[in-house]
Amino acid sequence: MLEFEKNYHFKLPASAIKKVIIDTDADNESDDPFAIVHALLSPSLDVLGIIATHFGHQRIKDSMQASYDEVSRILKEMDLTDKVRLLKGCKTNLEVDDSPSFFKRYKAQESEGVDFIIEQADACLKEKLYIGVLGPLTNVASALIKRPDIAMKLVVVWNGGATYPAGGREFNLMNDVAAANIVFQSGAEVWHVPTDVYDMPRVTLAELQLKVEPYGKIGKYLYDKLINFLTMANENGWPMSEVFSICDETAIGALLDEQPFNAKWEQAPFISDDMHYFSKENCKMVKCYKNMDLRVVLEDFFCKLQIQYSGKENI
Protein backbone atom coordinates (compact mmCIF):
# COMPACT_ATOMS: atom_id res chain seq x y z
CA MET A 1 0.00 0.00 0.00
CA LEU A 2 1.11 3.57 -0.68
CA GLU A 3 1.60 6.19 2.02
CA PHE A 4 -1.33 8.41 1.01
CA GLU A 5 -3.54 6.79 3.65
CA LYS A 6 -1.64 8.53 6.47
CA ASN A 7 -3.33 11.81 5.47
CA TYR A 8 -6.85 10.42 5.86
CA HIS A 9 -8.63 10.65 9.22
CA PHE A 10 -10.13 7.19 8.76
CA LYS A 11 -8.79 3.68 8.42
CA LEU A 12 -10.49 0.95 6.44
CA PRO A 13 -10.64 -2.68 7.56
CA ALA A 14 -8.71 -5.18 5.45
CA SER A 15 -12.01 -6.64 4.20
CA ALA A 16 -12.82 -3.31 2.48
CA ILE A 17 -9.61 -3.23 0.43
CA LYS A 18 -9.58 -4.64 -3.11
CA LYS A 19 -6.48 -5.93 -4.87
CA VAL A 20 -6.49 -4.07 -8.19
CA ILE A 21 -4.61 -3.92 -11.46
CA ILE A 22 -5.22 -0.90 -13.71
CA ASP A 23 -5.02 -1.73 -17.44
CA THR A 24 -4.88 1.49 -19.44
CA ASP A 25 -4.48 3.01 -22.91
CA ALA A 26 -3.26 6.08 -21.04
CA ASP A 27 -2.10 8.22 -23.97
CA ASN A 28 -5.24 7.81 -26.07
CA GLU A 29 -7.18 10.69 -24.52
CA SER A 30 -6.81 12.70 -21.33
CA ASP A 31 -9.35 10.89 -19.14
CA ASP A 32 -7.19 7.87 -18.23
CA PRO A 33 -4.70 9.98 -16.21
CA PHE A 34 -7.50 11.25 -13.94
CA ALA A 35 -8.67 7.67 -13.32
CA ILE A 36 -5.14 6.42 -12.65
CA VAL A 37 -4.48 9.18 -10.10
CA HIS A 38 -7.85 8.58 -8.44
CA ALA A 39 -7.11 4.86 -8.06
CA LEU A 40 -3.68 5.52 -6.57
CA LEU A 41 -5.09 8.00 -4.04
CA SER A 42 -7.85 5.63 -2.87
CA PRO A 43 -7.14 3.62 0.31
CA SER A 44 -9.72 0.97 -0.59
CA LEU A 45 -7.79 0.11 -3.78
CA ASP A 46 -4.50 -1.71 -3.32
CA VAL A 47 -3.05 -1.01 -6.77
CA LEU A 48 -0.68 -3.91 -7.41
CA GLY A 49 0.44 -2.55 -10.75
CA ILE A 50 -0.47 -0.61 -13.87
CA ILE A 51 -0.36 -2.22 -17.31
CA ALA A 52 0.01 -0.03 -20.40
CA THR A 53 -1.85 -1.22 -23.46
CA HIS A 54 -2.37 -0.32 -27.10
CA PHE A 55 -5.15 1.77 -28.60
CA GLY A 56 -4.79 0.89 -32.26
CA HIS A 57 -2.27 2.33 -34.67
CA GLN A 58 -4.08 5.04 -36.59
CA ARG A 59 -2.64 8.00 -34.65
CA ILE A 60 0.46 6.50 -33.05
CA LYS A 61 2.34 3.52 -34.45
CA ASP A 62 3.43 2.11 -31.07
CA SER A 63 0.47 3.15 -28.95
CA MET A 64 1.34 0.75 -26.13
CA GLN A 65 4.71 2.45 -25.68
CA ALA A 66 2.98 5.84 -25.75
CA SER A 67 0.66 4.64 -22.96
CA TYR A 68 3.63 3.33 -20.98
CA ASP A 69 5.42 6.66 -21.32
CA GLU A 70 2.30 8.54 -20.21
CA VAL A 71 1.90 6.43 -17.06
CA SER A 72 5.61 7.01 -16.36
CA ARG A 73 5.01 10.76 -16.48
CA ILE A 74 2.01 10.47 -14.14
CA LEU A 75 4.01 8.47 -11.60
CA LYS A 76 6.85 10.99 -11.80
CA GLU A 77 4.50 13.92 -11.09
CA MET A 78 3.14 12.00 -8.07
CA ASP A 79 6.66 11.11 -6.84
CA LEU A 80 5.80 7.44 -7.26
CA THR A 81 8.44 6.37 -9.77
CA ASP A 82 9.68 2.90 -8.73
CA LYS A 83 6.99 2.76 -6.01
CA VAL A 84 4.22 1.46 -8.28
CA ARG A 85 4.83 -1.39 -10.70
CA LEU A 86 4.46 -0.33 -14.31
CA LEU A 87 4.39 -3.00 -16.98
CA LYS A 88 4.24 -3.13 -20.75
CA GLY A 89 1.14 -4.82 -22.09
CA CYS A 90 0.16 -6.03 -25.55
CA LYS A 91 1.21 -3.95 -28.53
CA THR A 92 -1.71 -4.95 -30.74
CA ASN A 93 -4.99 -6.86 -30.81
CA LEU A 94 -5.37 -10.64 -30.77
CA GLU A 95 -4.53 -12.58 -33.91
CA VAL A 96 -6.10 -15.77 -35.26
CA ASP A 97 -4.27 -18.96 -34.36
CA ASP A 98 -3.43 -20.59 -37.70
CA SER A 99 -3.06 -24.10 -36.27
CA PRO A 100 -5.57 -26.59 -37.75
CA SER A 101 -8.98 -26.46 -36.07
CA PHE A 102 -12.68 -26.64 -36.89
CA PHE A 103 -13.17 -23.41 -34.96
CA LYS A 104 -11.64 -19.97 -35.17
CA ARG A 105 -9.21 -19.65 -32.29
CA TYR A 106 -6.99 -16.81 -31.14
CA LYS A 107 -3.47 -16.92 -29.81
CA ALA A 108 -2.40 -14.92 -26.80
CA GLN A 109 -0.30 -11.83 -27.27
CA GLU A 110 2.82 -12.11 -25.15
CA SER A 111 3.76 -9.33 -22.76
CA GLU A 112 5.02 -8.76 -19.23
CA GLY A 113 1.61 -7.32 -18.40
CA VAL A 114 -0.13 -10.55 -19.39
CA ASP A 115 2.27 -12.57 -17.24
CA PHE A 116 1.72 -10.12 -14.35
CA ILE A 117 -2.04 -10.75 -14.43
CA ILE A 118 -1.40 -14.50 -14.20
CA GLU A 119 1.18 -14.03 -11.43
CA GLN A 120 -1.14 -11.87 -9.33
CA ALA A 121 -4.12 -14.16 -9.89
CA ASP A 122 -2.04 -17.10 -8.67
CA ALA A 123 -1.09 -15.08 -5.59
CA CYS A 124 -4.76 -14.53 -4.67
CA LEU A 125 -5.79 -17.36 -2.37
CA LYS A 126 -9.20 -16.37 -1.01
CA GLU A 127 -9.70 -12.86 -2.36
CA LYS A 128 -10.57 -11.81 -5.89
CA LEU A 129 -8.24 -9.91 -8.22
CA TYR A 130 -9.95 -6.85 -9.73
CA ILE A 131 -8.78 -5.54 -13.09
CA GLY A 132 -9.97 -2.08 -14.09
CA VAL A 133 -9.70 -2.01 -17.88
CA LEU A 134 -9.78 1.47 -19.42
CA GLY A 135 -9.03 0.40 -23.00
CA PRO A 136 -9.25 -2.81 -25.06
CA LEU A 137 -9.39 -6.17 -23.30
CA THR A 138 -6.33 -7.65 -25.03
CA ASN A 139 -4.18 -8.17 -21.92
CA VAL A 140 -6.93 -9.88 -19.92
CA ALA A 141 -7.98 -12.07 -22.86
CA SER A 142 -4.38 -13.10 -23.49
CA ALA A 143 -3.97 -14.08 -19.84
CA LEU A 144 -7.16 -16.15 -20.03
CA ILE A 145 -6.03 -17.89 -23.24
CA LYS A 146 -2.75 -18.83 -21.58
CA ARG A 147 -4.30 -19.79 -18.25
CA PRO A 148 -8.07 -20.34 -18.40
CA ASP A 149 -8.01 -21.62 -14.83
CA ILE A 150 -7.41 -18.13 -13.38
CA ALA A 151 -10.83 -16.93 -14.61
CA MET A 152 -12.64 -17.74 -11.36
CA LYS A 153 -10.28 -15.42 -9.48
CA LEU A 154 -10.89 -12.38 -11.70
CA VAL A 155 -13.38 -9.53 -11.59
CA VAL A 156 -12.97 -7.53 -14.80
CA VAL A 157 -14.38 -3.99 -14.72
CA TRP A 158 -14.45 -2.78 -18.32
CA ASN A 159 -15.19 0.62 -19.79
CA GLY A 160 -16.14 -0.19 -23.37
CA GLY A 161 -18.74 -1.36 -25.81
CA ALA A 162 -21.88 0.38 -26.98
CA THR A 163 -25.35 0.48 -25.45
CA TYR A 164 -27.43 -2.65 -24.75
CA PRO A 165 -29.16 -4.48 -26.33
CA ALA A 166 -27.98 -3.70 -29.88
CA GLY A 167 -24.35 -2.65 -29.38
CA GLY A 168 -22.55 -0.84 -32.15
CA ARG A 169 -19.34 0.99 -32.87
CA GLU A 170 -17.24 1.98 -29.84
CA PHE A 171 -13.54 2.80 -29.61
CA ASN A 172 -12.28 0.44 -26.88
CA LEU A 173 -14.21 -2.46 -28.37
CA MET A 174 -13.09 -1.58 -31.90
CA ASN A 175 -9.48 -2.14 -30.89
CA ASP A 176 -10.06 -5.80 -30.02
CA VAL A 177 -13.48 -7.36 -30.60
CA ALA A 178 -12.06 -10.89 -30.26
CA ALA A 179 -10.64 -10.09 -26.82
CA ALA A 180 -14.03 -8.84 -25.63
CA ASN A 181 -15.72 -12.05 -26.76
CA ILE A 182 -13.09 -14.17 -25.01
CA VAL A 183 -13.46 -12.29 -21.72
CA PHE A 184 -17.27 -12.20 -21.90
CA GLN A 185 -17.48 -15.93 -22.56
CA SER A 186 -14.85 -16.88 -19.96
CA GLY A 187 -15.45 -17.86 -16.36
CA ALA A 188 -14.31 -14.43 -15.14
CA GLU A 189 -16.83 -12.14 -13.44
CA VAL A 190 -17.42 -9.11 -15.67
CA TRP A 191 -18.74 -5.69 -14.71
CA HIS A 192 -19.54 -3.90 -17.95
CA VAL A 193 -19.71 -0.09 -18.21
CA PRO A 194 -20.96 0.69 -21.74
CA THR A 195 -20.64 4.00 -23.53
CA ASP A 196 -23.98 5.52 -22.46
CA VAL A 197 -22.81 5.27 -18.83
CA TYR A 198 -19.11 6.00 -19.17
CA ASP A 199 -19.96 9.24 -20.98
CA MET A 200 -21.74 10.53 -17.86
CA PRO A 201 -18.98 11.94 -15.57
CA ARG A 202 -19.27 15.53 -16.83
CA VAL A 203 -17.12 18.36 -15.53
CA THR A 204 -16.49 21.90 -16.66
CA LEU A 205 -13.08 23.32 -17.41
CA ALA A 206 -13.68 26.04 -14.82
CA GLU A 207 -14.42 23.36 -12.22
CA LEU A 208 -11.13 21.63 -13.01
CA GLN A 209 -9.26 24.93 -12.89
CA LEU A 210 -10.62 25.45 -9.36
CA LYS A 211 -10.55 21.88 -8.01
CA VAL A 212 -7.63 20.20 -9.79
CA GLU A 213 -5.05 22.59 -11.25
CA PRO A 214 -3.88 24.17 -7.93
CA TYR A 215 -3.14 20.86 -6.16
CA GLY A 216 0.41 19.66 -6.55
CA LYS A 217 2.46 18.96 -9.63
CA ILE A 218 0.02 16.23 -10.58
CA GLY A 219 -2.99 18.58 -10.42
CA LYS A 220 -1.36 21.03 -12.79
CA TYR A 221 -0.22 18.16 -15.02
CA LEU A 222 -3.74 16.75 -15.31
CA TYR A 223 -5.25 20.15 -16.07
CA ASP A 224 -2.60 21.16 -18.61
CA LYS A 225 -2.78 17.80 -20.37
CA LEU A 226 -6.53 18.11 -20.75
CA ILE A 227 -6.34 21.64 -22.15
CA ASN A 228 -3.60 20.62 -24.57
CA PHE A 229 -5.59 17.57 -25.67
CA LEU A 230 -8.77 19.57 -26.24
CA THR A 231 -6.83 22.20 -28.19
CA MET A 232 -5.33 19.49 -30.41
CA ALA A 233 -8.71 17.81 -30.83
CA ASN A 234 -10.33 21.12 -31.77
CA GLU A 235 -7.71 21.64 -34.48
CA ASN A 236 -8.58 18.18 -35.83
CA GLY A 237 -12.34 18.58 -36.02
CA TRP A 238 -13.54 17.81 -32.49
CA PRO A 239 -15.04 21.14 -31.34
CA MET A 240 -13.80 22.26 -27.94
CA SER A 241 -16.35 23.32 -25.32
CA GLU A 242 -16.39 24.19 -21.62
CA VAL A 243 -17.66 20.71 -20.72
CA PHE A 244 -15.68 17.48 -20.79
CA SER A 245 -16.46 13.88 -19.78
CA ILE A 246 -13.80 12.12 -17.70
CA CYS A 247 -15.02 8.78 -19.05
CA ASP A 248 -12.68 6.40 -17.25
CA GLU A 249 -13.75 7.63 -13.83
CA THR A 250 -16.71 5.24 -14.17
CA ALA A 251 -14.43 2.19 -13.84
CA ILE A 252 -12.84 3.66 -10.71
CA GLY A 253 -16.30 4.54 -9.41
CA ALA A 254 -17.44 0.92 -9.75
CA LEU A 255 -14.31 -0.31 -7.98
CA LEU A 256 -14.85 2.14 -5.11
CA ASP A 257 -18.58 1.44 -4.77
CA GLU A 258 -20.33 -1.28 -6.74
CA GLN A 259 -23.61 0.68 -6.77
CA PRO A 260 -25.66 -2.51 -7.36
CA PHE A 261 -28.88 -0.50 -7.60
CA ASN A 262 -27.50 1.05 -10.82
CA ALA A 263 -26.59 -2.26 -12.46
CA LYS A 264 -28.49 -5.15 -13.96
CA TRP A 265 -27.29 -8.65 -14.68
CA GLU A 266 -27.57 -9.26 -18.43
CA GLN A 267 -26.78 -12.24 -20.58
CA ALA A 268 -23.30 -11.75 -21.99
CA PRO A 269 -23.63 -10.85 -25.67
CA PHE A 270 -21.72 -12.39 -28.51
CA ILE A 271 -20.19 -9.45 -30.39
CA SER A 272 -19.95 -9.45 -34.17
CA ASP A 273 -17.02 -8.02 -36.11
CA ASP A 274 -19.09 -4.89 -36.75
CA MET A 275 -19.58 -4.61 -32.96
CA HIS A 276 -23.27 -5.47 -32.72
CA TYR A 277 -24.56 -7.64 -29.87
CA PHE A 278 -26.28 -10.97 -30.40
CA SER A 279 -27.69 -13.46 -27.94
CA LYS A 280 -26.14 -16.89 -27.69
CA GLU A 281 -27.41 -19.94 -25.85
CA ASN A 282 -26.04 -20.74 -22.40
CA CYS A 283 -24.06 -17.52 -22.08
CA LYS A 284 -23.09 -16.40 -18.59
CA MET A 285 -24.42 -13.24 -17.00
CA VAL A 286 -22.46 -10.00 -16.78
CA LYS A 287 -23.17 -7.04 -14.52
CA CYS A 288 -24.11 -4.20 -16.85
CA TYR A 289 -24.22 -0.67 -15.48
CA LYS A 290 -27.32 1.28 -16.53
CA ASN A 291 -26.52 4.38 -14.51
CA MET A 292 -24.02 5.56 -11.91
CA ASP A 293 -23.93 8.22 -9.23
CA LEU A 294 -20.90 9.93 -10.72
CA ARG A 295 -21.05 13.23 -8.91
CA VAL A 296 -20.06 11.44 -5.69
CA VAL A 297 -17.22 9.74 -7.61
CA LEU A 298 -15.92 13.02 -9.01
CA GLU A 299 -16.19 14.83 -5.69
CA ASP A 300 -14.30 11.97 -4.06
CA PHE A 301 -11.48 12.50 -6.55
CA PHE A 302 -11.41 16.25 -5.97
CA CYS A 303 -11.37 15.78 -2.18
CA LYS A 304 -8.58 13.19 -2.25
CA LEU A 305 -6.46 15.35 -4.52
CA GLN A 306 -6.89 18.33 -2.20
CA ILE A 307 -6.24 16.32 0.97
CA GLN A 308 -2.98 14.97 -0.43
CA TYR A 309 -1.68 18.06 -2.22
CA SER A 310 -3.14 21.11 -0.49
CA GLY A 311 -0.40 23.68 0.07
CA LYS A 312 2.08 21.87 -2.17
CA GLU A 313 3.76 23.62 -5.07
CA ASN A 314 2.31 22.78 -8.47
CA ILE A 315 5.30 23.89 -10.53
Side-chain angles (χ1 to χ4, degrees), residues 123-194:
C124 289
L125 300 178
K126 295 181 180 180
E127 66 275 278
K128 292 279 190 176
L129 174 63
Y130 292 79
I131 308 180
V133 183
L134 315 180
L137 283 159
T138 312
N139 293 316
V140 179
S142 293
L144 288 167
I145 292 171
K146 292 182 73 172
R147 284 281 305 279
D149 59 300
I150 68 170
M152 301 306 292
K153 295 185 176 184
L154 302 184
V155 178
V156 182
V157 184
W158 182 47
N159 261 20
T163 307
Y164 281 70
R169 187 177 177 84
E170 188 274 331
F171 186 79
N172 288 344
L173 176 58
M174 176 180 70
N175 283 314
D176 206 334
V177 175
N181 277 320
I182 287 169
V183 173
F184 275 39
Q185 304 307 321
S186 74
E189 183 174 340
V190 176
W191 301 357
H192 187 196
V193 187

Side-chain angles (χ1 to χ4, degrees), residues 87-155:
L87 304 108
K88 294 183 177 181
C90 299
K91 288 192 170 187
T92 190
N93 56 297
L94 296 180
E95 298 176 351
V96 175
D97 188 338
D98 56 8
S99 58
S101 174
F102 288 109
F103 305 100
K104 181 187 284 188
R105 298 187 304 183
Y106 291 88
K107 55 186 177 183
Q109 292 284 1
E110 297 291 341
S111 75
E112 62 180 5
V114 169
D115 292 339
F116 182 70
I117 292 172
I118 295 170
E119 169 194 316
Q120 294 303 315
D122 282 340
C124 289
L125 300 178
K126 295 181 180 180
E127 66 275 278
K128 292 279 190 176
L129 174 63
Y130 292 79
I131 308 180
V133 183
L134 315 180
L137 283 159
T138 312
N139 293 316
V140 179
S142 293
L144 288 167
I145 292 171
K146 292 182 73 172
R147 284 281 305 279
D149 59 300
I150 68 170
M152 301 306 292
K153 295 185 176 184
L154 302 184
V155 178

